[in-house]
Every structure is written in C-alpha cells, then in structure tokens.
Amino acid sequence: MSTGVVRVGLLGLGTVGGGVIKTIRSQQEKLASRLGKRIEIVKALVRDSEKERAVHLDRSVLTTDFEDVLKSDVDIVVEVMGGVEPTYDYVRALIEKGCHVVTANKELLAKRGTELVDLANRHQVHLAYEASVAGGIPILGVLRQFLRTNDISGVRGILNGTTNFILTKMEQEQLSYQEVLKQAQELGYAEADPRSDVEGFDAMYKLYILAQLVYGESLPLAEVNRKGIADLTAGQIRIAGELGYRIKLIAQAEQTGEGIRLSVEPTMLPLSHPLAQIQDAFNAVQLSGNIVGDLLFTGRGAGELPTASAVVEDLAYLLTQPFTPHPVWKEREGGAETTQETEAKSFCYVEGTGPAATPDRVLHFLRLAGVEVHKLKVQFDLGGVLRAGLITTGFTDEHSDLLRSDFGLQVRCFPLLGSVE
Amino acid sequence: MSTGVVRVGLLGLGTVGGGVIKTIRSQQEKLASRLGKRIEIVKALVRDSEKERAVHLDRSVLTTDFEDVLKSDVDIVVEVMGGVEPTYDYVRALIEKGCHVVTANKELLAKRGTELVDLANRHQVHLAYEASVAGGIPILGVLRQFLRTNDISGVRGILNGTTNFILTKMEQEQLSYQEVLKQAQELGYAEADPRSDVEGFDAMYKLYILAQLVYGESLPLAEVNRKGIADLTAGQIRIAGELGYRIKLIAQAEQTGEGIRLSVEPTMLPLSHPLAQIQDAFNAVQLSGNIVGDLLFTGRGAGELPTASAVVEDLAYLLTQPFTPHPVWKEREGGAETTQETEAKSFCYVEGTGPAATPDRVLHFLRLAGVEVHKLKVQFDLGGVLRAGLITTGFTDEHSDLLRSDFGLQVRCFPLLGSVE
C-alpha cells in the first residue's frame, strides 16, 4: 500500500456505491485519523460513464472496462455491482493481484463463496462482507463475537426488507399482493424484476452466509427449503390476523440431530412474537446462545446508507488489521430432511365453493383423520365462498390432498413458530 | 503473564461470579484454543468462605481477605462484588500492581470511572466493562464500532430489567406496585432493598457509561434527571393503555444545542413504539447513527449467564489484544437544562374527589390556560373518584399547581416519546 493514501477501486456505482462514496466523503476526517491515511477512489467500474449521477466523481475515475480497474493498482476493491457473472471473474482477478475485497454481494458469496474464501486465503488478502447480510445491522461481527464464548444452535430472522414491506402493507391496507408490489416498485422498495426478493432467493443467500459463520458449513442452495410470498392472499393474512397471528417471511437455520436445516418460508407468528413486531422494510435477526440467551437485533436491512455504513466499516477495519486466514467455507450435502413433524402445529387456510365445503363437514373429516384443530375462524362471503383458517396439529400433505379432492377446497398450510399459547 | 496459564482473581462470588466460573468451565476448550492458555481461578474474594455455593471452588482458592488476592500474582481480576466501597480501593490496588480489570460494576464506573480509566492508562492495563451495561447485549462493542463510521446523536433504552418486569406485571395483572414488587422479590427479580433499581439509580449508572462512549464525556450524576417508578399506580398504567400508550422507564442521552442531556424517567410510549414492545426483564437499546439509521438491540439485561457471557468475552478479548490507551473519561458540569418545552406533548394523569373536579370544568380550565388536549380518557369509580388521563401540549408545572389548588386534584405528568400519531 502506498504511504499516505489507500487506493480504492469500486465495482458498481448504483445505490450502494453512491452511498459508499457519500459516506467516505462525509466521514473522511474520522477515517483519516483512524487509518493514518487518506482514502482515494481511483477507479470506478460503471455500465454507462455518461449517466447523470447523484454523486460526482471525476470523469477520469469512471470506466466501463474492467481492465482499467485491474491496471490501476488498487489496494482494495469494493464490490457493489451485484450478480455472479461477470462479478466472480472480476473479483477473482483482483484477489489474484493481491487486492483486498469488501463486498455486499450475497448472491456471489452464496454461490461462489467457498472458492473466494479459499482464493483469498491463498493470496493472503482480506475478504470482508458485513454488508451482505442485514445491511446496517452488524450481525456477522456480533455472531463472530458470540461464537467465541457461546454455542449457538440456531439463528432466524427477517432478512429481506422488500417482502416484509409488502406483507406489512398487505395486512395494513388489506390489499392484494399485486397491488402492493406495484406500490413497492413505484417507491423503489422493489425492483422491476422482483423475483430475487419475493421468491425468497435474497433471504436464502443471506441465510447461507449466516450458516457458514454459525456452523462452519452450509448446505448447497438446492437443499434449502425455500418458498416465497407471491402466492399469499389478503384473505390468508386477514384470517391469520383474526386468529392472533401474523405471516412473515422467516429465514431460519437450525441444528437438528440429522444435520443442519435451512429454510426460508412464509411462517405464522403469534402477534406477541418479537419477529411479528418487525414491520415495513426493517430487518431483524434473532439468535440464541447457550450462555447469553436470546438476542434480537433490528435495523434497516437495505438502502443506500445503512449498507454503505457496513461497507465503509469493513473497509476501515481491514485496513487496520493484519491478515489472518479466513475460516474455510464448506458445503455439506444431505442436510436434515424437511419432514412433516406430526406433532408440529400449523396454520391451514382453506377456500372453496363446493357443496361439500361446509365447516361442519371439514371439521368432521379432520377429526376422523386424527387432526387436532385448536382454533378455527370461518368466513362466508356473499358469493357463498367459504374461507377458513385453522390452527392444527397433525395436518399433513395427505390431508391437503383429500380436502382438495373430496371437498373441492384449495389448501395452503404455513408452519407456526414459537406459539406462545 | 506466566506461560500456559492465565491467573485470574475473582472479587465476589455471587450470582454473576458463579456464572463466570460456570462459563469458563463449560467453554474451556474454546477459550484454551483461542488464548493458547488455560484460565485458572487462583483466588476468589468472598464474604463468607463457609457458605454453600452452587459452583464448587477448591477451599484454598476462597479467601475473605483482599490481601490474599493482592499477593497471589494474578494477571487479571474479574470484579463482580459490586458497590463502591471498598471495591474502588481493591481495584485501584490491583491496577497499581499491573493487573488487568474486567468489571460488571456500573455504580463503580459511574462514580469513579474517570479515575479508574486514568489509572489504568497510566499503568498500561486494560479496563473492560461490557458486562456493566445491558448484560449480554454487546452494546458497548457495537457502539464503539458504529462510532468509527457514524455520528451518533443519541441513545435511549430500557436499561433496567427489574423495573421493566414490575411495569409489565402491573399492566398485565392490574396489580399495585407494592404487590408486584413483592412477587419480584420472591422470584429473585428484585433485591431485598430495591431502591437502586426502582428509583432509577441502576439505569442512570448505565446511561452515564453509554454517554462516556458516545460523547466522550458525561454529566455529574447529580445533573442527571432521574425519576423512579415507585409512585406509579395501576390506575395510571391502565388509563395510559386505554389511550394506546404504555409507561416504560426510559433512559435517554441526547445532544442538544446547550450540551448533553441525560434522563431516566417513566415515559409514555405509543404501543407501536419498538421500546413499548420490550416486556418482562428484557433490556433494549436504541441508537441512531447518521449513516446506519436506527438500530435496536434486545436481550436479557441481567442474570447469571448473560452477564457472565459478557465478562468472559471481555476477559478473552483483552488477553488477545495488545494494550492501547483507553479514551479518557471526562465529566462536564452544566448539561442542558430540563426545560419544559411548551411544544412537547405529555401525558397527565389526574385523580381526585373534590366537588370542583369534573371533566368539564377541568377541560374548560385547560382551554382557557392555553393547554391543548388531544385525547382524554375519564373514569369514575363507585366512590365518586375521578380518574382521567390526558394527552396534552403545553401543560406545565404551573397548570399542575392550579389543578391541585383549585380543583383538589392530584396530578402526575409523564413525557411522551416518539408519538406516532
């Protein structure tokens, strides 16, 4: 590193990239006194160097050609361009040149992290990624700290702000998924192609990274039980609420007897559950240590400045720390099966108009089938549509199939978390 | 430090002391591999060496004479005996012998911290105290981290688990303060002499420490605006609830134009406020950074193991870090005055039986006095006692006095936080 100046390269100059530059500029005195050096952005890779931007960078700093970054002798690269291709190749090439990496890219880490960690170790460079999970909440640092004195069996949370915003609005304004998605896109809370968020990919990538920290290994992404929110209806959310529950997209990593289990799925929480209280675009992570007990961390999970805060903190931190090898990342195939525990409670939502679909008959069928019904909420609308929410024990896919075939009902079941009853 | 072994002295072997020993024992493999050394408790100062204890320590380790600790050549002392006298003298003597200190003692730090920090710096030993604030929540570490990249204007929270437990039970079970206090004492949540908790001293000490971190200075304790919960009534809590609010003992540090302002007082929060959701003996700390935004940390603030987790983490951390001087602690007299902002909303609870005390007359008087009443909840009981809760703007002590003298009413006002309306 040249004396007096840290040469930083930036891959990507979107929302987070702009936030990084603003943060470095607004905090430059603090950073300089801490690092004993001035931070200089020497090259920034962009898609379009002519585009108007909220932050000004000298024209000579911008480039559309990655080779320019590679040639500019940067000490550190901040990767905020996202995606895996060509990002992986760029990051790889920079590591091979001995460049430290700070990244906010959860997809890259979840898909190629095992290789990048190994490569960084071989080239003795830092790979830092606090910004990749839960934005400004310093959850990776806190987890690393607790793991030194605690055994942590699991971690769960709301890791995607977009879906939490959509679910909050669907409940509060009794709107359909499509209506709220449109609002969210207009507000900039959801992307034009919302699939990564609403189908649970984004939360899954973050969960994968958390598992690497907590367990020293993770599962291949194909083995994560992932379900999104795109098929949730206002009716399901309303009936859940009337039963005293709220539906959240919960990401959860658990250690079971058969191995680790990772899931991202819409989950019913009693309204009194701490995660049920997390509304709008906020994120929250709950962890349980054998010594420290339960902890909950809440904050903005995304957005320009919260994410930039984590990026700049990583950048400053690694500049003041000697290199130590990063713990190796591993993937273990054959995680715990998502078995249907017959003891577990679940929330089943049924809807239909068939003549057989009366509450009495459905309850009679379930009783004979050995399903316990703890709570029931029934609604008929003017068109004679039955909508019912049931809190059950012992409900399986087989019961779903029979309710469909014999009663003409549509069925959607959700796992139920931390029932306080 | 002798090779292979870290010699630890323990001052105090109560709840937290026992938790520290249990934690060191249960995590000894982790600790040994991290430190490259074995931790050995070589001496423990106790009041009664004959007492039966939940954790076994060799009889030869226990002593009732501090001089035995001083002579045993310990590398580190863990101070969990509490109090200021004789604790300060003991800690001072150990620092002067070059011994590192880990303490959970907020009172000692708030009353003698400026001297201890200075002394530790002069003798080049670590002084670590994560366990002194919010138990297992690593709030000091997190604050230090954020302060490196953020300007933090303020911090607020629920810093005392005992009072939060009492307030939760008073609300949930509609019991009086005295009844709940008795329950809490039986459950071990409150001490036989509860004053430090219920009068807000404990929360004030913790707030003092937070201010030293956030602002690099704090106020003399006498300048902290401190009010306890011992005079709260079930009636106040019930009417607050009916108005959509909950009363919490909120500790708050703010930067104002005139300087910093520290307060610990019962405060009205809208039910939707994140701190209103913190129930039972939990603690929570909310901080606001100019870059990271709002963050909330929740966890058990006290108890054997959460506090022990923080103590052992401090212990392990300082054994792996070279000494660097601790930022000096300062006290600045003349903090911001607690002025009654006439623009601020407050919750006023009035109670009385006088013939003049009718809601109409009270409202008429307030209107003439220029006090705006946003919400009103009135109850009469069978004995003709008027109880009313008012959300007001512009209510001052002067109005209180007039309601007392002219209407025969008792008046209690509470500040109102983060009104969402």
Side-chain angles (χ1 to χ4, degrees):
Chain A
M1 256 172 245
S2 35
T3 334
V5 173
V6 181
R7 296 171 62 83
V8 174
L10 205 57
L11 302 183
L13 193 48
T15 310
V16 176
V20 168
I21 289 174
K22 283 188 207 167
T23 304
I24 288 174
R25 286 180 181 163
S26 73
Q27 305 303 104
Q28 60 189 343
E29 270 182 52
K30 265 190 192 183
L31 287 166
S33 82
R34 180 168 163 206
L35 303 174
K37 301 182 184 199
R38 203 164 44 79
I39 290 180
E40 193 182 329
I41 309 282
V42 294
K43 210 45 105 177
L45 180 68
V46 295
R47 230 172 299 180
D48 174 3
S49 54
E50 303 300 325
K51 188 175 151 187
E52 283 286 320
R53 292 171 199 281
V55 293
H56 175 76
L57 273 186
D58 194 274
R59 185 68 189 75
S60 67
V61 170
L62 301 182
T63 179
T64 56
D65 182 0
F66 173 66
E67 292 301 318
D68 286 343
V69 181
L70 203 58
K71 283 185 304 199
S72 14
D73 197 21
V74 294
D75 303 308
I76 297 186
V77 68
V78 171
E79 187 275 295
V80 286
M81 62 189 278
V84 177
E85 293 302 339
T87 320
Y88 173 78
D89 295 326
Y90 294 174
V91 171
R92 178 180 185 100
L94 285 158
I95 290 176
E96 285 172 345
K97 277 199 79 172
C99 180
H100 301 296
V101 177
V102 177
T103 177
N105 189 336
K106 45 255 166 194
E107 184 180 1
L108 177 67
L109 289 162
K111 291 184 174 167
R112 311 295 293 268
T114 53
E115 298 157 69
L116 288 176
V117 165
D118 178 58
L119 193 70
N121 281 345
R122 283 192 282 122
H123 289 272
Q124 306 205 5
V125 298
H126 290 285
L127 175 65
Y129 46 90
E130 180 65 79
S132 67
V133 181
I137 308 175
I139 188 64
L140 303 186
V142 164
L143 267 175
R144 284 196 187 97
Q145 182 182 324
F146 280 118
L147 283 164
R148 294 195 294 234
T149 38
N150 278 261
D151 300 326
I152 294 178
S153 56
V155 56
R156 68 162 69 117
I158 293 171
L159 301 180
N160 181 273
T162 304
T163 46
N164 206 51
F165 175 84
I166 292 174
L167 292 176
T168 303
K169 288 288 168 228
M170 282 178 73
E171 181 189 356
Q172 288 176 348
E173 297 173 17
Q174 308 211 359
L175 294 175
S176 74
Y177 167 77
Q178 285 301 342
E179 287 168 300
V180 177
L181 175 63
K182 201 160 152 265
Q183 273 188 22
Q185 285 170 327
E186 283 161 11
L187 287 168
Y189 279 131
E191 302 193 32
D193 177 356
R195 279 176 298 176
S196 174
D197 291 319
V198 301
E199 293 180 5
F201 288 101
D202 176 82
M204 174 179 75
Y205 300 144
K206 293 165 177 168
L207 184 67
Y208 176 99
I209 296 168
L210 288 172
Q212 288 286 5
L213 252 78
V214 173
Y215 305 118
E217 63 181 26
S218 199
L219 298 182
L221 292 175
E223 291 193 24
V224 179
N225 175 33
R226 177 189 51 76
K227 292 198 185 82
I229 65 157
D231 65 342
L232 294 191
T233 67
Q236 291 159 1
I237 289 171
R238 191 172 61 243
I239 284 200
E242 287 171 359
L243 287 162
Y245 290 83
R246 189 168 275 157
I247 300 177
K248 292 290 189 188
L249 186 66
I250 297 294
Q252 183 161 359
E254 297 168 282
Q255 181 88 60
T256 76
E258 310 151 62
I260 61 177
R261 182 176 175 276
L262 305 183
S263 63
V264 176
E265 58 187 324
T267 302
M268 286 275 281
L269 308 176
L271 286 175
S272 58
H273 193 288
L275 292 176
Q277 316 287 349
I278 308 304
Q279 297 282 61
D280 300 316
F282 276 84
N283 279 199
V285 186
Q286 200 176 29
L287 63 92
S288 204
N290 65 329
I291 296 172
V292 75
D294 286 342
L295 290 169
L296 180 71
F297 301 91
T298 311
R300 293 210 174 270
E304 183 186 11
L305 291 178
T307 310
S309 173
V311 166
V312 175
E313 174 52 29
D314 264 356
L315 194 140
Y317 182 79
L318 68 78
L319 285 170
T320 55
Q321 295 296 313
F323 171 79
T324 49
H326 191 294
V328 170
W329 278 20
K330 290 191 285 266
E331 272 183 20
R332 173 166 308 195
E333 295 193 27
E337 283 296 306
T338 308
T339 46
Q340 283 188 307
E341 294 168 43
T342 47
E343 291 307 298
K345 278 191 188 167
S346 59
F347 167 66
C348 298
Y349 177 85
V350 301
E351 186 175 324
T353 48
T358 71
D360 276 1
R361 289 189 193 175
V362 170
L363 284 176
H364 182 71
F365 159 77
L366 290 174
R367 194 167 61 238
L368 290 183
V371 175
E372 206 177 333
V373 177
H374 306 280
K375 272 186 166 186
L376 170 69
K377 192 87 198 177
V378 176
Q379 290 175 336
F380 282 101
D381 70 11
L382 291 174
V385 179
L386 167 71
R387 292 191 176 85
L390 304 94
I391 308 287
T392 61
T393 303
F395 194 96
T396 65
D397 287 346
E398 210 175 310
H399 302 119
S400 272
D401 293 342
L402 286 167
L403 285 177
R404 274 188 205 103
S405 59
D406 296 8
F407 295 83
L409 289 167
Q410 291 168 4
V411 184
R412 172 77 199 257
C413 284
F414 302 86
L416 208 143
L417 196 69
S419 169
V420 177
E421 300 164 277
Chain B
M1 261 171 236
S2 34
T3 333
V5 173
V6 181
R7 296 170 63 84
V8 174
L10 204 59
L11 302 183
L13 192 48
T15 310
V16 176
V20 168
I21 290 175
K22 281 188 209 167
T23 304
I24 288 175
R25 285 180 183 162
S26 74
Q27 304 303 103
Q28 60 189 343
E29 270 180 53
K30 266 191 191 183
L31 288 166
S33 82
R34 179 169 162 206
L35 303 175
K37 299 183 185 200
R38 203 163 45 76
I39 289 179
E40 194 181 328
I41 308 283
V42 295
K43 209 46 102 178
L45 180 68
V46 296
R47 230 172 298 181
D48 174 2
S49 56
E50 303 299 325
K51 188 175 150 189
E52 284 286 321
R53 291 170 201 281
V55 293
H56 175 76
L57 273 187
D58 195 273
R59 184 69 189 74
S60 66
V61 170
L62 300 180
T63 179
T64 55
D65 183 0
F66 172 68
E67 292 299 319
D68 287 343
V69 181
L70 206 57
K71 283 184 306 200
S72 11
D73 197 21
V74 294
D75 304 308
I76 298 186
V77 67
V78 172
E79 187 275 296
V80 285
M81 62 188 280
V84 176
E85 292 304 337
T87 319
Y88 173 78
D89 296 325
Y90 294 175
V91 171
R92 178 180 186 101
L94 285 159
I95 290 176
E96 286 172 343
K97 277 200 76 172
C99 180
H100 300 296
V101 177
V102 177
T103 179
N105 189 336
K106 46 252 166 199
E107 185 180 0
L108 177 66
L109 289 162
K111 292 184 175 169
R112 312 295 293 268
T114 52
E115 297 158 72
L116 288 176
V117 165
D118 177 58
L119 195 69
N121 281 345
R122 282 193 281 122
H123 291 272
Q124 306 204 4
V125 299
H126 289 286
L127 175 64
Y129 46 88
E130 179 65 79
S132 67
V133 181
I137 306 175
I139 188 64
L140 304 187
V142 164
L143 268 175
R144 284 196 187 97
Q145 182 184 323
F146 280 117
L147 284 163
R148 294 195 294 234
T149 38
N150 279 261
D151 300 327
I152 293 178
S153 56
V155 56
R156 68 161 69 116
I158 293 171
L159 299 180
N160 181 271
T162 303
T163 45
N164 206 49
F165 175 84
I166 292 173
L167 292 176
T168 303
K169 288 286 167 228
M170 282 178 75
E171 181 188 356
Q172 287 175 349
E173 297 172 17
Q174 308 211 356
L175 294 174
S176 74
Y177 168 76
Q178 285 300 340
E179 287 168 301
V180 176
L181 175 63
K182 203 161 150 261
Q183 273 188 23
Q185 285 170 326
E186 283 161 11
L187 287 168
Y189 280 130
E191 302 194 35
D193 177 355
R195 280 177 299 177
S196 174
D197 291 319
V198 302
E199 293 181 5
F201 289 101
D202 175 82
M204 174 180 73
Y205 300 145
K206 293 165 179 170
L207 184 67
Y208 176 98
I209 297 168
L210 287 172
Q212 288 285 4
L213 252 78
V214 172
Y215 306 117
E217 64 180 27
S218 200
L219 299 182
L221 292 175
E223 292 193 24
V224 179
N225 174 32
R226 177 189 50 76
K227 292 197 185 83
I229 64 158
D231 64 344
L232 294 191
T233 67
Q236 291 160 0
I237 288 172
R238 193 175 55 244
I239 284 199
E242 287 170 1
L243 287 164
Y245 290 83
R246 189 168 275 157
I247 301 178
K248 293 289 188 188
L249 186 67
I250 298 294
Q252 183 160 359
E254 296 168 282
Q255 182 87 61
T256 76
E258 311 152 62
I260 60 176
R261 181 177 176 274
L262 305 182
S263 64
V264 175
E265 59 187 323
T267 302
M268 288 275 282
L269 308 175
L271 287 174
S272 59
H273 193 287
L275 291 175
Q277 316 288 348
I278 309 302
Q279 297 283 62
D280 300 316
F282 277 84
N283 280 21
V285 186
Q286 200 177 28
L287 63 91
S288 205
N290 64 329
I291 296 172
V292 76
D294 285 343
L295 289 168
L296 180 72
F297 302 90
T298 312
R300 293 210 175 271
E304 182 187 12
L305 292 180
T307 311
S309 174
V311 166
V312 175
E313 175 52 29
D314 264 356
L315 195 140
Y317 181 79
L318 68 79
L319 285 170
T320 54
Q321 295 295 313
F323 170 80
T324 48
H326 191 294
V328 170
W329 277 20
K330 292 189 284 265
E331 271 182 21
R332 172 167 309 195
E333 294 191 29
E337 283 296 305
T338 307
T339 47
Q340 283 187 306
E341 294 167 42
T342 47
E343 290 306 298
K345 279 190 187 168
S346 60
F347 167 66
C348 297
Y349 176 86
V350 302
E351 187 177 321
T353 49
T358 69
D360 276 0
R361 292 190 191 174
V362 170
L363 284 177
H364 183 71
F365 159 76
L366 291 174
R367 195 167 59 239
L368 290 182
V371 175
E372 205 179 333
V373 177
H374 307 279
K375 271 187 168 186
L376 171 70
K377 192 86 199 178
V378 176
Q379 291 175 337
F380 282 101
D381 71 8
L382 291 174
V385 179
L386 167 72
R387 292 191 177 86
L390 304 93
I391 308 286
T392 60
T393 302
F395 194 96
T396 65
D397 287 348
E398 209 175 310
H399 303 118
S400 270
D401 293 342
L402 286 167
L403 285 177
R404 276 189 203 102
S405 59
D406 295 8
F407 294 83
L409 288 167
Q410 291 167 4
V411 184
R412 172 75 200 258
C413 285
F414 301 87
L416 209 141
L417 197 69
S419 171
V420 177
E421 296 164 279

mmCIF file of all heavy atoms in Angstrom, chain B residues 205-222:
data_model
loop_
_atom_site.group_PDB
_atom_site.id
_atom_site.type_symbol
_atom_site.label_atom_id
_atom_site.label_comp_id
_atom_site.label_asym_id
_atom_site.label_seq_id
_atom_site.Cartn_x
_atom_site.Cartn_y
_atom_site.Cartn_z
ATOM 1 N N TYR B 205 -26.645 4.846 36.157
ATOM 2 C CA TYR B 205 -25.223 4.497 36.060
ATOM 3 C C TYR B 205 -24.893 3.992 34.658
ATOM 4 O O TYR B 205 -23.862 4.326 34.071
ATOM 5 C CB TYR B 205 -24.862 3.408 37.087
ATOM 6 C CG TYR B 205 -25.101 3.798 38.528
ATOM 7 C CD1 TYR B 205 -25.527 2.853 39.458
ATOM 8 C CD2 TYR B 205 -24.891 5.099 38.969
ATOM 9 C CE1 TYR B 205 -25.740 3.192 40.789
ATOM 10 C CE2 TYR B 205 -25.118 5.448 40.293
ATOM 11 C CZ TYR B 205 -25.544 4.496 41.202
ATOM 12 O OH TYR B 205 -25.759 4.836 42.510
ATOM 13 N N LYS B 206 -25.789 3.158 34.129
ATOM 14 C CA LYS B 206 -25.538 2.594 32.801
ATOM 15 C C LYS B 206 -25.578 3.687 31.733
ATOM 16 O O LYS B 206 -24.779 3.707 30.805
ATOM 17 C CB LYS B 206 -26.573 1.516 32.500
ATOM 18 C CG LYS B 206 -26.425 0.293 33.406
ATOM 19 C CD LYS B 206 -27.661 -0.594 33.344
ATOM 20 C CE LYS B 206 -27.505 -1.832 34.217
ATOM 21 N NZ LYS B 206 -28.795 -2.559 34.350
ATOM 22 N N LEU B 207 -26.521 4.606 31.886
ATOM 23 C CA LEU B 207 -26.639 5.712 30.934
ATOM 24 C C LEU B 207 -25.382 6.579 30.971
ATOM 25 O O LEU B 207 -24.896 7.042 29.933
ATOM 26 C CB LEU B 207 -27.869 6.548 31.292
ATOM 27 C CG LEU B 207 -28.204 7.696 30.353
ATOM 28 C CD1 LEU B 207 -28.635 7.165 28.989
ATOM 29 C CD2 LEU B 207 -29.306 8.568 30.947
ATOM 30 N N TYR B 208 -24.860 6.789 32.173
ATOM 31 C CA TYR B 208 -23.626 7.566 32.341
ATOM 32 C C TYR B 208 -22.489 6.942 31.522
ATOM 33 O O TYR B 208 -21.732 7.625 30.838
ATOM 34 C CB TYR B 208 -23.262 7.599 33.825
ATOM 35 C CG TYR B 208 -21.956 8.285 34.141
ATOM 36 C CD1 TYR B 208 -21.930 9.607 34.563
ATOM 37 C CD2 TYR B 208 -20.750 7.602 34.028
ATOM 38 C CE1 TYR B 208 -20.728 10.242 34.854
ATOM 39 C CE2 TYR B 208 -19.544 8.224 34.310
ATOM 40 C CZ TYR B 208 -19.534 9.538 34.732
ATOM 41 O OH TYR B 208 -18.340 10.164 35.013
ATOM 42 N N ILE B 209 -22.390 5.615 31.607
ATOM 43 C CA ILE B 209 -21.328 4.900 30.881
ATOM 44 C C ILE B 209 -21.549 5.021 29.368
ATOM 45 O O ILE B 209 -20.614 5.282 28.600
ATOM 46 C CB ILE B 209 -21.282 3.419 31.326
ATOM 47 C CG1 ILE B 209 -20.913 3.336 32.819
ATOM 48 C CG2 ILE B 209 -20.300 2.629 30.471
ATOM 49 C CD1 ILE B 209 -21.125 1.959 33.439
ATOM 50 N N LEU B 210 -22.790 4.850 28.925
ATOM 51 C CA LEU B 210 -23.090 4.999 27.497
ATOM 52 C C LEU B 210 -22.701 6.396 27.005
ATOM 53 O O LEU B 210 -22.123 6.545 25.919
ATOM 54 C CB LEU B 210 -24.584 4.755 27.234
ATOM 55 C CG LEU B 210 -25.064 3.310 27.334
ATOM 56 C CD1 LEU B 210 -26.587 3.236 27.240
ATOM 57 C CD2 LEU B 210 -24.437 2.439 26.236
ATOM 58 N N ALA B 211 -23.001 7.414 27.812
ATOM 59 C CA ALA B 211 -22.678 8.785 27.402
ATOM 60 C C ALA B 211 -21.164 8.973 27.262
ATOM 61 O O ALA B 211 -20.698 9.642 26.335
ATOM 62 C CB ALA B 211 -23.254 9.791 28.396
ATOM 63 N N GLN B 212 -20.387 8.372 28.183
ATOM 64 C CA GLN B 212 -18.926 8.484 28.066
ATOM 65 C C GLN B 212 -18.458 7.948 26.715
ATOM 66 O O GLN B 212 -17.559 8.504 26.084
ATOM 67 C CB GLN B 212 -18.225 7.707 29.198
ATOM 68 C CG GLN B 212 -18.344 8.353 30.572
ATOM 69 C CD GLN B 212 -17.455 9.583 30.750
ATOM 70 O OE1 GLN B 212 -16.776 10.033 29.832
ATOM 71 N NE2 GLN B 212 -17.482 10.150 31.948
ATOM 72 N N LEU B 213 -19.074 6.854 26.263
ATOM 73 C CA LEU B 213 -18.679 6.284 24.978
ATOM 74 C C LEU B 213 -19.121 7.156 23.815
ATOM 75 O O LEU B 213 -18.352 7.427 22.891
ATOM 76 C CB LEU B 213 -19.330 4.905 24.804
ATOM 77 C CG LEU B 213 -18.356 3.757 24.924
ATOM 78 C CD1 LEU B 213 -18.049 3.525 26.383
ATOM 79 C CD2 LEU B 213 -18.913 2.528 24.274
ATOM 80 N N VAL B 214 -20.397 7.559 23.860
ATOM 81 C CA VAL B 214 -20.984 8.226 22.698
ATOM 82 C C VAL B 214 -20.457 9.648 22.542
ATOM 83 O O VAL B 214 -20.144 10.092 21.442
ATOM 84 C CB VAL B 214 -22.522 8.230 22.799
ATOM 85 C CG1 VAL B 214 -23.145 9.087 21.704
ATOM 86 C CG2 VAL B 214 -23.054 6.806 22.716
ATOM 87 N N TYR B 215 -20.339 10.373 23.661
ATOM 88 C CA TYR B 215 -19.954 11.787 23.578
ATOM 89 C C TYR B 215 -18.520 12.044 24.023
ATOM 90 O O TYR B 215 -18.054 13.187 23.951
ATOM 91 C CB TYR B 215 -20.902 12.637 24.444
ATOM 92 C CG TYR B 215 -22.355 12.437 24.117
ATOM 93 C CD1 TYR B 215 -23.246 11.921 25.054
ATOM 94 C CD2 TYR B 215 -22.846 12.746 22.847
ATOM 95 C CE1 TYR B 215 -24.582 11.738 24.746
ATOM 96 C CE2 TYR B 215 -24.182 12.558 22.528
ATOM 97 C CZ TYR B 215 -25.049 12.057 23.492
ATOM 98 O OH TYR B 215 -26.364 11.865 23.185
ATOM 99 N N GLY B 216 -17.837 11.031 24.553
ATOM 100 C CA GLY B 216 -16.509 11.275 25.093
ATOM 101 C C GLY B 216 -16.557 12.050 26.395
ATOM 102 O O GLY B 216 -15.543 12.529 26.893
ATOM 103 N N GLU B 217 -17.758 12.186 26.956
ATOM 104 C CA GLU B 217 -17.915 12.857 28.246
ATOM 105 C C GLU B 217 -19.297 12.519 28.793
ATOM 106 O O GLU B 217 -20.151 12.017 28.076
ATOM 107 C CB GLU B 217 -17.783 14.373 28.096
ATOM 108 C CG GLU B 217 -18.872 14.991 27.226
ATOM 109 C CD GLU B 217 -18.725 16.510 27.083
ATOM 110 O OE1 GLU B 217 -17.598 17.007 27.195
ATOM 111 O OE2 GLU B 217 -19.749 17.175 26.858
ATOM 112 N N SER B 218 -19.459 12.783 30.076
ATOM 113 C CA SER B 218 -20.760 12.552 30.684
ATOM 114 C C SER B 218 -21.029 13.695 31.643
ATOM 115 O O SER B 218 -20.224 14.632 31.755
ATOM 116 C CB SER B 218 -20.775 11.198 31.390
ATOM 117 O OG SER B 218 -22.101 10.751 31.587
ATOM 118 N N LEU B 219 -22.171 13.641 32.310
ATOM 119 C CA LEU B 219 -22.508 14.683 33.281
ATOM 120 C C LEU B 219 -22.280 14.159 34.690
ATOM 121 O O LEU B 219 -22.383 12.958 34.927
ATOM 122 C CB LEU B 219 -23.986 15.054 33.162
ATOM 123 C CG LEU B 219 -24.475 15.623 31.841
ATOM 124 C CD1 LEU B 219 -25.954 15.963 31.949
ATOM 125 C CD2 LEU B 219 -23.678 16.876 31.491
ATOM 126 N N PRO B 220 -22.002 15.041 35.654
ATOM 127 C CA PRO B 220 -22.001 14.587 37.045
ATOM 128 C C PRO B 220 -23.361 13.947 37.323
ATOM 129 O O PRO B 220 -24.379 14.422 36.802
ATOM 130 C CB PRO B 220 -21.840 15.890 37.825
ATOM 131 C CG PRO B 220 -21.247 16.863 36.867
ATOM 132 C CD PRO B 220 -21.731 16.467 35.514
ATOM 133 N N LEU B 221 -23.363 12.874 38.113
ATOM 134 C CA LEU B 221 -24.612 12.145 38.331
ATOM 135 C C LEU B 221 -25.716 13.048 38.878
ATOM 136 O O LEU B 221 -26.896 12.847 38.582
ATOM 137 C CB LEU B 221 -24.376 10.969 39.283
ATOM 138 C CG LEU B 221 -23.503 9.843 38.694
ATOM 139 C CD1 LEU B 221 -23.217 8.776 39.748
ATOM 140 C CD2 LEU B 221 -24.158 9.212 37.472
ATOM 141 N N ALA B 222 -25.318 14.044 39.667
ATOM 142 C CA ALA B 222 -26.331 14.924 40.250
ATOM 143 C C ALA B 222 -27.078 15.722 39.190
ATOM 144 O O ALA B 222 -28.160 16.241 39.431
ATOM 145 C CB ALA B 222 -25.667 15.894 41.235
#
